Amino acid sequence: MRRVCLTFRPLHAPCAAMSDDLPTIESQARTAIAAAGDPAALDAVRIALLGKTGQVTALLKTLGSLTPDERKRVGAEVNALKTAISAALDARRAVLEAEALAARLAAERIDVTLPGRPDRAGTIHPISRTMEELTALFGAMGFGVKEGPDIEDDWHNFGALNIPSHHPARAMMDTFYLDAAAGSRPVVLRTHTSPLQIRTMLAETPPIRVIVPGRTYRSDHDATHSPMFHQCEGLVIDRGITLAHLKGCLIDFLRAFFERPDLKARFRSSYFPFTEPSMEVDIAWDRKSGEIGGGSDWLEILGAGMIHPNVLANCGLDPREFQGFAFGMGVERITMLKHGIPDLRTFYESDVRWLAHYGTSPLAPVTLHEGDAR
Ligand code: DAH
């Protein structure tokens, strides 16, 4: 390239040694661009070359003093130089930006595998915790977990369970009836988890061992009753099942759940339409100290019994071949006793102070405690 005879004063340090020889200007510019270590330095180089008073801009300004022929030739050369420098600046800017982004990503790295900060962690609601414990304890005894619909037809909720039409549980005032489709069975919000006995026996062949933790509904509301509450049903069906199995299973469970291997339990004769014989199970407690499992008073804790032959027959099982037992307990009740919670209504108030106090860390796994449930 020809030498262009121009005199001008370089404005900025990076260009201080520049001459007016175009290849030299270009190579000096490239050196300065490559040496710019950050966007600000690169900008200074750009201004020194292409800014209003920059070196290349000054060259362009002098074109007017040249002859038309020279202007055409030199103009093309200077413009080519300007284009080349612009491209080099853009390329360097892209590199610097990529480097800056990589540095930021490295500096601001977030470890998404870290557990949440403990002070911000929520807690597992005591009802959920109890259901997890029931699942673990009965799971260790070979029980699976079943779930079923909250909206239940009256055959599964009452009829198939041998509950007669005059039974008080069927009264409108005790139960939430829903509008059923024309021609179909009346439907209720299930009043207990026992309909899952029917659904399980119809769907599976013995041997059957399941528990059913879930929501249940009754039109009750005071310090010890809520219109929505939770129960856990248990069902065992096989050949040769006796009351001894029922007793052994429930005693083992109660000892494990209340974490007291010497817990005293009592089986008291009672009545449920779907079991024969039926019984209520009490645990010992001390009225004065509140101690659970020992003492001279008794607390009713759950209902149980041997499956009524009519119920087995309603599910297509021959009562002469298969026997079984069932039990049902209130999840709130056993939770209140285990943790000393005095008022049922507080379970559903979502008071974060209460939840922090009675809740369990989500990081604390359910264990089998020191009980006898193996
Ligand atoms: N379903 C009964 C209730 O809600 C509880 C119950 C009693 C369930 C005896 C059972 C049982 O499985 O055998 O009051």
Side-chain angles (χ1 to χ4, degrees):
M1 207 182 276
R2 286 269 211 97
R3 198 177 166 88
V4 184
C5 300
L6 299 164
T7 51
F8 68 96
R9 184 169 51 85
L11 287 171
H12 291 278
C15 308
M18 282 182 182
S19 84
D20 51 3
D21 177 75
L22 293 190
T24 307
I25 293 175
E26 182 172 346
S27 87
Q28 286 175 340
R30 286 190 186 282
T31 307
I33 289 169
D38 57 57
L42 187 65
D43 219 40
V45 174
R46 180 186 63 75
I47 290 166
L49 290 160
L50 307 179
K52 249 194 226 160
T53 54
Q55 190 174 16
V56 176
T57 315
L59 282 175
L60 286 167
K61 279 184 188 160
T62 60
L63 291 177
S65 61
L66 301 177
T67 62
D69 273 359
E70 265 189 335
R71 191 184 310 144
K72 207 171 158 196
R73 183 180 50 75
V74 178
E77 288 173 4
V78 177
N79 273 316
L81 172 69
K82 187 181 173 185
T83 308
I85 288 175
S86 292
L89 283 166
D90 288 347
R92 181 64 185 152
R93 169 153 290 114
V95 169
L96 289 176
E97 280 172 2
E99 280 174 9
L101 181 64
R104 252 187 85 184
L105 287 174
E108 297 173 14
R109 224 175 95 88
I110 296 171
D111 183 352
V112 291
T113 64
L114 274 178
R117 293 186 197 283
D119 58 335
R120 292 265 207 91
T123 58
I124 301 295
H125 193 282
I127 295 291
S128 304
R129 176 70 181 190
T130 295
M131 305 232 260
E132 284 173 9
E133 289 177 8
L134 293 169
T135 303
L137 295 177
F138 282 106
M141 291 194 267
F143 284 70
V145 175
K146 270 241 151 198
E147 287 182 314
D150 287 18
I151 298 173
E152 190 56 280
D153 64 68
D154 79 338
W155 185 76
H156 286 94
N157 196 80
F158 300 122
L161 286 162
N162 206 33
I163 299 177
S165 54
H166 58 266
H167 195 281
R170 290 200 181 212
M172 282 294 204
M173 54 194 240
D174 278 346
T175 308
F176 296 106
Y177 279 88
L178 303 169
D179 291 336
S184 58
R185 292 171 178 153
V187 281
V188 296
L189 289 182
R190 65 177 181 191
T191 59
H192 50 181
T193 43
S194 304
L196 265 295
Q197 290 187 30
I198 306 301
R199 291 187 177 276
T200 306
M201 282 188 271
L202 288 173
E204 292 173 20
T205 45
I208 293 171
R209 267 190 226 186
V210 290
I211 58 161
V212 185
R215 279 183 295 271
T216 47
Y217 307 84
R218 288 182 205 174
S219 30
D220 271 342
H221 201 194
D222 58 38
T224 51
H225 296 91
S226 150
M228 189 284 302
F229 57 106
H230 299 79
Q231 286 191 341
C232 183
E233 195 81 10
L235 176 70
V236 171
I237 306 278
D238 205 346
R239 295 182 176 84
I241 296 291
T242 71
L243 197 57
H245 295 113
L246 181 161
K247 290 181 73 174
C249 171
L250 288 178
I251 289 173
D252 275 359
F253 158 67
L254 292 169
R255 290 185 171 165
F257 180 76
F258 288 106
E259 300 176 34
R260 202 170 157 166
D262 63 341
L263 172 138
K264 279 196 291 173
R266 167 173 96 168
F267 293 77
R268 192 163 35 77
S269 143
S270 183
Y271 171 75
F272 297 103
F274 37 89
T275 45
E276 180 57 37
S278 303
M279 63 210 65
E280 259 148 345
V281 183
D282 302 337
I283 56 171
W285 74 302
D286 188 275
R287 195 179 293 274
K288 278 206 199 95
S289 66
E291 176 194 347
I292 300 277
S296 50
D297 303 301
W298 294 98
L299 260 183
E300 181 196 321
I301 198 122
L302 55 88
M306 302 304 292
I307 309 291
H308 196 293
N310 289 354
V311 175
L312 291 168
N314 287 341
C315 300
L317 294 173
D318 181 351
R320 284 164 303 186
E321 187 179 357
F322 292 105
Q323 300 76 38
F325 66 84
F327 54 88
M329 63 188 112
V331 177
E332 279 79 355
R333 179 156 173 76
I334 59 171
T335 307
M336 287 167 83
L337 290 172
K338 180 164 177 171
H339 301 291
I341 299 171
D343 188 334
L344 178 92
R345 288 167 294 200
T346 54
F347 277 112
Y348 316 113
E349 280 170 359
S350 300
D351 182 332
V352 288
R353 295 163 306 173
W354 186 94
L355 291 167
H357 181 75
Y358 289 112
T360 315
S361 162
L363 303 177
V366 171
T367 65
L368 293 183
H369 311 286
E370 67 264 33
D372 224 357
R374 267 133 296 180

